[in-house]
Amino acid sequence: MTEVKTKVNAKEKNEAFFYDGIYKAAKMGADTVLNLLPHIRDDGLRSVVTMQLDGYEKYAQRAAEALQDAGLMAKEEGFVTRMTAKVGAALHTMLDSGTSHVAEMMIEGSNLCITDMIKLLNDRELCDCAPGAMRLAREVVAFEEHNLEMLKRYL
């Protein structure tokens, strides 16, 4: 996270860490959808993941705005991380681009996001100083749980 402020207290640092985690998880979800969309042939699944893309972008924007309000900037994942995900998606869909397989890949990503958010929510030190971030993380978990239910019918 690139800091714009010159001094950040411990509470602000923890809150920024929380929002940064939300931002990165949402951006990774959006990137995954963008990487997989060209391989989706089923119109129903395409519609579902397009709606998910909108959700990911909304959550990333909200986290970025919270960071900006604190005088900080959201940090993108590193180039290597983004390229690894892109190449992984390409390889997995090269081997099997069927609807069920793509849905399974999206489900794995949703489960990973839920795990990341739960880890943040279980960190009492972070949670004590970031009630707004906690609410947003809980929203992301609910969003991902809804995504799982929508994707299950494509397995």
Side-chain angles (χ1 to χ4, degrees):
M1 173 172 6
T2 305
E3 294 186 15
V4 176
K5 278 185 166 183
T6 55
K7 290 191 177 198
V8 177
N9 66 34
K11 178 182 176 188
E12 291 170 326
K13 185 177 181 179
N14 283 345
E15 188 173 30
F17 181 79
F18 210 125
Y19 279 118
D20 192 57
I22 295 168
Y23 178 80
K24 286 180 179 177
K27 289 295 281 184
M28 185 60 75
D31 288 348
T32 299
V33 170
L34 291 171
N35 290 334
L36 291 176
L37 265 174
H39 305 283
I40 298 174
R41 293 183 195 93
D42 183 278
D43 289 337
L45 181 58
R46 177 177 290 280
S47 177
V48 167
V49 298
T50 300
M51 286 187 295
Q52 290 176 4
L53 176 61
D54 291 339
Y56 289 127
E57 289 174 341
K58 176 184 80 171
Y59 289 117
Q61 181 65 33
R62 286 175 61 190
E65 287 171 358
L67 287 167
Q68 187 175 19
D69 289 347
L72 303 168
M73 292 178 57
K75 181 181 175 189
E76 299 289 332
E77 283 288 355
F79 175 76
V80 173
T81 301
R82 288 191 325 268
M83 286 309 295
T84 300
K86 186 175 185 107
V87 169
L91 287 174
H92 280 281
T93 54
M94 188 185 316
L95 298 172
D96 181 358
S97 63
T99 299
S100 177
H101 184 68
V102 173
E104 184 178 348
M105 291 171 63
M106 290 295 300
I107 287 170
E108 288 172 6
S110 289
N111 281 325
L112 182 60
C113 184
I114 290 170
T115 301
D116 289 346
M117 293 301 101
I118 297 296
K119 284 179 182 178
L120 285 173
L121 288 165
N122 284 341
D123 189 327
R124 292 296 348 137
E125 184 178 334
L126 289 177
C127 292
D128 289 343
C129 69
M134 281 180 57
R135 280 190 299 278
L136 186 57
R138 286 187 186 118
E139 281 184 44
V140 172
V141 169
F143 167 73
E144 289 290 19
E145 288 171 342
H146 176 74
N147 291 346
L148 290 173
E149 292 307 312
M150 298 294 292
L151 291 165
K152 284 178 185 177
R153 57 183 135 164
Y154 295 98
L155 292 176

